[in-house]
Amino acid sequence: MGDMPTVENGTVDVKMVQKEVIAIVSDVLGVDENTIQLNQSLVKDLSADSLDVTELIISIEEHFNVSVTISDKELAEIDTVQDLVNFVVLALKNK
């Protein structure tokens, strides 16, 4: 994977985060990253189950070197690839 996105003046390189999150989703779910769209549902479109979503969160935390406490309610609200991107951006801003 490429360079780490940096936070400068509170701004995160969202395009880089999107690219890295798609690569992680591809790796964890075994889906070709060229077919992954930001608006796709992890469960409905990419066939992830709750364990896959948890594994995605763990992989994202390790990759982006962030540690986030996430409630079951918040975890349930992560539906799309874009939701994962938003999760990372927020985690990086709060790092």
Side-chain angles (χ1 to χ4, degrees), residues 73-89:
K73 180 179 183 285
E74 291 169 319
L75 187 61
E77 291 174 356
I78 295 177
D79 177 51
T80 66
V81 177
Q82 182 64 52
D83 291 339
L84 283 175
V85 171
N86 296 345
F87 172 80
V88 172
V89 169

Side-chain angles (χ1 to χ4, degrees), residues 3-65:
D3 299 325
M4 290 300 297
T6 57
V7 179
E8 293 180 28
N9 300 325
T11 303
V12 177
D13 183 346
V14 176
K15 291 287 184 200
M16 185 177 285
V17 171
Q18 289 172 340
K19 182 179 176 192
E20 297 292 323
V21 167
I22 286 172
I24 292 168
V25 169
S26 170
D27 184 53
V28 171
L29 299 182
V31 177
D32 180 355
E33 73 181 77
N34 295 317
T35 66
I36 298 172
Q37 301 294 317
L38 293 171
N39 64 345
Q40 285 181 304
S41 167
L42 296 168
V43 175
K44 293 177 189 151
D45 299 321
L46 299 174
S47 303
D49 60 25
S50 59
L51 289 177
D52 291 327
V53 175
T54 301
E55 187 176 344
L56 283 168
I57 297 297
I58 292 167
S59 296
I60 284 169
E61 287 181 328
E62 290 173 356
H63 179 79
F64 290 100
N65 194 29

